[in-house]
Amino acid sequence: MSLLPTRISILAAEFNKSIIDTMISEAQKTAREAGITDIRVIKVAGCYEIPLIAELELSQSDTGIVVALGYIERGETLHGEVMGNVVHQALVQLQLKHRKPVGIGIIGPGATEEQAQARKVDYAQAAVRASLKNWSLLQGSQKKS
Ligand SMILES: Nc1c(NC[C@H](O)[C@H](O)[C@H](O)CO)[nH]c(=O)[nH]c1=O
Ligand SMILES: CC(=O)[C@@H](O)COP(=O)(O)O
C-alpha cells in the first residue's frame, strides 16, 4: 500500500492555451513538491475531450490519480454551461467507477479572461492537492478493510 500514487496523469484542455499552459506548469510543480515522479501530461482539444482520456488513464493500473485542467469561457449561449455540467458530472462518475481520485481544475463555466487569469494557479494547485488528499484517504480506508 503506497503512500503516493505511482503516476499522476494531467489532462489539459488546450482550448485556451495561454491559461492552460500556466495551469499545467503549476500542477506539475505541485505534484513534484508532493514527491510524485511519474507525471504524465496529455493535452486534449477542449474540456469535452477530457472524460474519454480520463477513462483510458484511470483504467491503467499505474495511474493512481487523474488531474483535469480546463477553462470554460463566457460565451453568448448556454454551450459553456452545458459543457461544464456534462464534463463535471462525467469526471465525478469516473472517480466512483474506478475508485481513484480525479482532481477537477476546470475554471468556469462562464468565466471571463480576467476571472480565469485570477484563478489559474489556485485551481491547478487545488486540483492536485485535493486529489492527493483523497488518495491518502482511500489508502487509509483500504488498510482498515
Ligand atoms: N468553448 C470551449 C471549449 N469548446 C470546445 C469543446 O471542448 C470541444 O473541444 C468541441 O466541442 C469539439 O468536441 N472547450 C474548452 O475547454 N473551453 C471552452 O471555453
Ligand atoms: C464556452 C464556449 O463554447 C465559448 O467558447 C463560445 O460560446 P458561445 O458559442 O456560447 O458564444
Side-chain angles (χ1 to χ4, degrees):
M1 203 83 64
S2 63
L3 287 177
L4 287 172
T6 305
R7 175 192 303 140
I8 286 187
S9 291
I10 298 172
L11 309 184
E14 57 179 2
F15 185 84
N16 297 282
K17 198 164 169 20
S18 62
I19 298 284
I20 291 304
D21 285 347
T22 303
M23 295 184 83
I24 292 170
S25 305
E26 281 302 321
Q28 288 175 303
K29 179 167 166 279
T30 307
R32 276 196 299 271
E33 287 169 353
I36 309 292
T37 53
D38 183 352
I39 303 168
R40 180 182 283 179
V41 177
I42 300 173
K43 294 182 181 179
V44 296
C47 284
Y48 260 141
E49 281 69 39
I50 291 176
L52 175 59
I53 307 305
E55 163 63 26
L56 294 177
E57 289 300 297
L58 290 167
S59 299
Q60 296 174 39
S61 57
D62 278 353
T63 302
I65 285 176
V66 158
V67 171
L69 302 175
Y71 158 39
I72 302 178
E73 66 189 13
R74 180 170 300 178
E76 296 171 354
T77 72
L78 292 177
H79 178 257
E81 196 169 328
V82 169
M83 175 171 27
N85 287 327
V86 166
V87 171
H88 280 85
Q89 180 68 25
L91 293 176
V92 169
Q93 289 305 312
L94 284 174
Q95 289 190 86
L96 304 177
K97 173 186 174 184
H98 293 278
R99 292 176 66 84
K100 293 181 178 180
V102 175
I104 302 179
I106 296 175
I107 301 167
T112 64
E113 170 82 18
E114 185 182 5
Q115 288 169 334
Q117 290 291 353
R119 288 162 174 77
K120 61 187 179 181
V121 170
D122 289 349
Y123 272 51
Q125 291 177 350
V128 174
R129 290 180 180 140
S131 58
L132 283 170
K133 182 174 175 61
N134 255 11
W135 169 269
S136 56
L137 289 170
L138 278 167
Q139 297 305 303
S141 69
Q142 284 164 3
K143 273 184 190 163
K144 290 185 188 118
S145 57

